Amino acid sequence: MSSEQNERKGLNFRIELKLHPAEEGMRELKNWPANEFSPDFAVAASGVMRIELAGQMIGSRENQIMLVETRLAQRLQEDINFWLPDYLGGFSTNLGRAVQKLKDGADQSRAAFIDEPMALVFRRQAAGSPILVGFESNGKGLRMAEVSETELYAEIKRALESFRRQLLDLNPELARQSDVLELNQQIQGIS
């Protein structure tokens, strides 16, 4: 286990963003700016995400969202998909904006999925208290965890940096693309 994994092991909230576009999206990402996105960057940069809240992984099976204890997830991965699909280009922007709202003092914010009726919700409690991080599906809260502001910002910054790195590894020219520029600003704003 790496030192980063050891440090993150005790977190109440973990999120992984993995770029995994469809064939057309991959072609558009690799060939930008020569080829434009159809319909947009958010769709071209599709992928999957894995979310863990308070020791439970969020997964889906036969279009049903479910929670599974993290310690059991490895054994059940053949039956339950713990990688939730979405248009990560759009979701990552929503996530960055939600964090910025919190940093600006908002009591709550949300990062909605683009193509699914799901969201991560963030609720500030009393000053100095942990932030409640929740997962909603079809408007219903499924799981919440208390996370310190410092840990929350560090985890989201790490996930967004990883996603940006995946994009730039695919095509360094994407660093000039407007959505990626916004993502860079959001990452810098989390610092």
Side-chain angles (χ1 to χ4, degrees), residues 113-134:
F113 284 47
I114 302 300
D115 196 42
E116 300 291 335
M118 297 182 276
L120 280 174
V121 295
F122 307 96
R123 209 165 282 127
R124 185 180 304 284
Q125 302 179 84
S129 295
I131 292 177
L132 290 174
V133 179

Side-chain angles (χ1 to χ4, degrees), residues 1-28:
M1 191 175 288
S2 74
S3 62
E4 180 181 316
Q5 288 172 321
N6 274 332
E7 289 173 17
R8 294 179 55 230
K9 190 175 181 184
L11 290 179
N12 271 338
F13 168 64
R14 289 192 277 181
I15 184 168
E16 300 287 334
L17 305 175
K18 188 162 62 170
L19 182 65
H20 190 69
E23 187 176 321
E24 181 62 24
M26 180 67 83
R27 189 171 25 261
E28 291 171 355

Side-chain angles (χ1 to χ4, degrees), residues 59-67 80-81 84 137-138:
S60 69
R61 180 176 166 190
E62 298 175 7
N63 295 320
Q64 296 295 315
I65 297 297
M66 58 186 57
L67 300 168
I80 301 170
N81 184 6
L84 306 174
S137 178
N138 292 312

